[in-house]
């Protein structure tokens, strides 16, 4: 069982210096702006920082001080830290909410510490890297009645809203089968001997991971990030591969449209065929079974990655849809990506009349979260919803890694298989344990 992190013990071991947060924070509060701390300010973190920049940015945190120079220049009055534990201890009284944009392996701890302090949280996808951690964050958010949002920004897009309206209006007929695919593949790389090339504190970057850091050299690709930035996701030690990276974005659409929750059965297959000693598969298929409800039949959903269509052999494709969701209704098919949808067969599409627009346009994924905090409202990707989505996505990796079909008991949070249940959680380094309550 994970041990709770003692803030008192941590404070005693850390610097005794007291940070004085600028008085502009209090002035901003009078102007009805939220005081926000941002953990991780580069790459996706930079986009999330921009998304909340209309509020009052009190503190910034990133292990890479040099890479964070642009953010620090943009918000010169925000206190800067390299350790989010110290940041939360120092500015807790001044902060209303926290944005978490760290690598996946630090999501759970950063978010849990913030919520333990009663702070509203926006966290990048996947919500956590392990199934058990999603359940911890869901409970914390519920128990403390916090406003939360997972960073599946495409959920705010207009196209997803139109597809949800079509599906929920029953225009495709009953839907028992869904296919979700993405042609993205990992970047190959190899572990190498030698000192870390990173110019920042590797110990802080490792955070809760109780493993030895390794240096890696990546193959050439369009993703030109210095190790370990971005490419950490292609080793199980730090990431969950393409499924964890993109599953929450694409499986979000059928989750929303069909009102999915916990699968009862999960099985997975795949292979690693690319060059490198990475451990995640580049071609993968995951089959999920979601139980029937009063409003729909049982749903069989299949995820594929590393291929251009819903076929692990790559033979079945749909023109211009290399990453998409396909709903198979009894009356028609609907294929959708982030920005558009297509109806099949053509005869059905020619006579199609879209339903009324019942889902209003989004005010923006980040702004939705900020406004919900101010009004004591809710969000569309709160941790209750997003936690269930993330849990389902990550169960696919568990099934793949133990190479056995899973029967998932969402009530107990177990599969009944020892080797699978071991993969549902993680171990933590001393001083980086995950708090499980408030």
């Amino acid at each position: 069982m994970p041990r709770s992190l003692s803030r008192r013990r941590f404070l005693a071991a850390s610097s005794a210096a007291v940070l004085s947060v600028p008085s502009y924070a209090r002035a901003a509060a009078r102007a009805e702006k939220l005081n926000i701390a941002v953990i991780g300010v580069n790459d996706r973190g930079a986009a999330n920082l921009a998304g909340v920049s209309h509020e009052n940015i009190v503190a910034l945190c990133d292990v890479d001080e040099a890479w964070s120079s642009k953010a620090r220049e943009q918000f010169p009055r925000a206190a800067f830290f390299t350790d989010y534990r110290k940041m939360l201890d120092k500015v807790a009284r001044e902060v209303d909410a926290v944005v978490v944009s760290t690598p996946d392996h630090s999501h759970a701890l950063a978010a849990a510490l913030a919520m333990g302090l009663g702070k509203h949280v926006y966290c990048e996808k996947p919500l956590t890297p392990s199934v058990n951690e999603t359940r911890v964050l869901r409970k914390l958010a519920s128990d403390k009645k916090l406003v939360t949002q997972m960073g599946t920004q495409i959920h705010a897009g207009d196209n997803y809203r139109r597809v949800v309206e079509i599906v929920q209006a029953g225009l495709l007929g009953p839907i028992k089968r869904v296919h979700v695919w993405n042609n993205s593949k990992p970047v190959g790389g190899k572990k190498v001997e030698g000192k870390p090339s990173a110019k920042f504190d590797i110990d802080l970057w490792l955070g809760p991971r109780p493993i030895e850091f390794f240096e890696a050299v990546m193959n050439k690709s369009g993703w030109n990030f210095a190790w370990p930035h971005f490419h950490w996701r292609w080793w199980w030690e730090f990431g969950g591969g393409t499924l964890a990276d993109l599953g929450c974005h694409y499986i979000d659409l059928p989750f929303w449209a069909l009102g999915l929750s916990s699968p009862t059965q999960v099985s997975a297959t795949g292979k690693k065929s690319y060059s490198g000693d990475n451990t995640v598969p580049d071609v993968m298929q995951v089959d999920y079974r979601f139980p029937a409800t009063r409003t729909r039949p049982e749903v069989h959903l299949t995820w594929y990655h590393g291929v251009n269509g819903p076929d692990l052999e790559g033979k079945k494709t749909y023109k211009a849809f290399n990453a998409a969701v396909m709903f198979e209704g009894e009356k028609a098919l609907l294929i959708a990506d982030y920005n558009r949808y297509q109806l099949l067969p053509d005869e059905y599409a020619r006579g199609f009349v879209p339903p009324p627009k019942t889902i209003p346009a989004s005010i923006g994924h980040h702004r939705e979260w900020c406004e919900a905090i101010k009004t004591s409202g809710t969000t569309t990707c709160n941790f209750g919803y997003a936690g269930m989505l993330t849990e389902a996505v990550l169960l696919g990796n568990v099934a793949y890694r133990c190479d056995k079909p899973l029967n998932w008991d969402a009530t107990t949070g177990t599969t009944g298989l020892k080797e699978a249940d071991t993969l549902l959680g993680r171990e933590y380094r001393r001083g980086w344990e995950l708090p499980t309550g408030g």
Side-chain angles (χ1 to χ4, degrees):
M1 293 295 291
R3 295 167 292 175
S4 294
L5 175 64
S6 168
R7 292 182 66 245
R8 183 173 299 172
R9 173 166 52 83
F10 174 74
L11 276 169
S14 63
S15 170
V18 177
L19 173 77
S20 176
V21 176
S23 60
Y24 81 101
R26 293 184 291 275
R30 288 196 296 271
E32 297 184 352
K33 287 189 175 184
L34 299 173
N35 289 344
I36 295 180
V38 180
I39 306 173
V41 299
N42 296 295
D43 197 27
R44 273 307 314 156
N48 289 334
L49 178 57
V52 297
S53 61
H54 60 285
E55 303 293 347
N56 183 34
I57 307 302
V58 171
L60 304 173
C61 180
D62 201 290
V63 297
D64 195 331
E65 294 186 63
W67 198 19
S68 305
S69 60
K70 183 177 180 180
R72 297 174 70 179
E73 291 171 1
Q74 185 180 1
F75 300 97
R77 294 184 293 178
F80 182 80
F81 299 82
T82 56
D83 187 332
Y84 57 80
R85 299 170 304 170
K86 291 183 179 181
M87 182 195 76
L88 291 172
D89 281 320
K90 297 290 179 64
V91 305
R93 292 182 180 180
E94 304 291 340
V95 169
D96 300 307
V98 177
V99 176
V100 178
S101 307
T102 65
D104 295 1
H105 64 269
S106 287
H107 281 186
L109 179 56
L113 289 175
M115 288 194 289
L117 293 169
K119 310 307 174 185
H120 307 287
V121 171
Y122 181 108
C123 184
E124 259 306 316
K125 56 78 201 165
L127 187 58
T128 69
S130 77
V131 171
N132 288 348
E133 290 170 325
T134 68
R135 300 168 78 86
V136 170
L137 295 196
R138 274 165 39 202
K139 187 175 187 304
L140 274 171
S142 176
D143 289 350
K144 291 185 171 293
K145 298 178 173 55
L146 297 170
V147 177
T148 55
Q149 183 91 302
M150 184 171 76
T152 41
Q153 297 82 12
I154 196 61
H155 194 96
D158 186 69
N159 186 61
Y160 268 27
R161 282 161 162 68
R162 304 292 80 81
V163 171
V164 170
E165 289 165 351
I166 292 169
V167 171
Q168 293 186 348
L171 299 182
L172 305 177
I175 296 170
K176 300 179 181 180
R177 194 75 174 91
V178 178
H179 302 269
V180 187
W181 66 92
N182 195 292
N183 65 349
S184 181
K185 288 191 173 187
V187 177
K190 291 185 177 181
K191 297 179 182 178
V192 295
E193 298 293 333
K195 295 181 179 180
S197 57
K199 304 302 181 184
F200 51 82
D201 190 330
I202 290 299
D203 188 71
L204 288 178
W205 187 87
L206 280 171
R209 299 299 291 128
I211 62 174
E212 185 176 347
F213 181 81
F214 57 84
E215 184 71 5
V217 175
M218 308 305 300
N219 299 340
K220 290 185 178 180
S221 73
W223 290 315
N224 296 314
F225 293 93
W227 176 259
H229 295 312
F230 185 81
H231 296 298
W232 48 263
R233 67 189 73 240
W234 313 130
W235 277 270
W236 291 125
E237 288 92 333
F238 303 122
T242 301
L243 177 58
D245 185 31
L246 296 170
C248 287
H249 281 308
Y250 284 85
I251 299 177
D252 174 36
L253 182 55
F255 245 75
W256 185 7
L258 295 171
L260 302 180
S261 55
S262 294
T264 52
Q265 296 176 304
V266 186
S267 60
T269 186
K271 60 184 178 180
K272 180 187 169 298
S273 61
Y274 57 107
S275 175
D277 60 14
N278 316 62
T279 48
V280 301
D282 58 324
V283 178
M284 186 178 183
Q285 176 176 325
V286 184
D287 286 275
Y288 299 93
R289 298 278 182 172
F290 294 91
T293 68
R294 290 182 300 172
T295 57
R296 60 158 176 78
E298 179 187 66
V299 174
H300 176 194
L301 183 151
T302 304
W303 162 272
Y304 318 77
H305 74 240
V307 291
N308 290 319
D311 173 19
L312 208 60
E313 300 302 317
K315 297 178 181 178
K316 189 173 185 179
T317 61
Y318 291 87
K319 187 176 180 181
F321 285 100
N322 292 329
V325 177
M326 181 169 70
F327 297 91
E328 288 189 10
E330 290 185 2
K331 297 179 181 178
L333 303 181
L334 185 152
I335 305 173
D337 59 16
Y338 285 174
N339 303 307
R340 61 205 167 90
Y341 67 84
Q342 178 181 339
L343 293 160
L344 295 172
D346 292 339
E347 302 80 53
Y348 179 88
R350 281 193 290 269
F352 177 75
V353 177
K357 294 182 179 181
T358 55
I359 305 174
S362 173
I363 60 174
H365 203 59
H366 298 87
R367 192 174 291 272
E368 177 188 294
W369 174 62
C370 293
E371 292 305 310
I373 295 171
K374 296 175 184 179
T375 61
S376 299
T378 189
T379 60
T380 53
C381 292
N382 60 76
F383 288 3
Y385 170 86
M388 298 290 281
L389 170 59
T390 300
E391 181 178 291
V393 167
L394 296 178
L395 282 168
N397 276 339
V398 173
Y400 173 81
R401 295 181 71 183
C402 71
D403 196 26
K404 291 182 179 179
L406 307 180
N407 292 311
W408 178 239
D409 186 332
T411 302
T412 62
T414 59
T415 67
L417 291 175
K418 183 178 179 180
E419 58 268 50
D421 287 349
T422 298
L423 293 170
L424 298 175
R426 299 193 300 159
E427 294 181 358
Y428 304 96
R429 280 203 297 163
R430 184 177 178 84
W432 297 84
E433 298 91 351
L434 183 70
T436 58

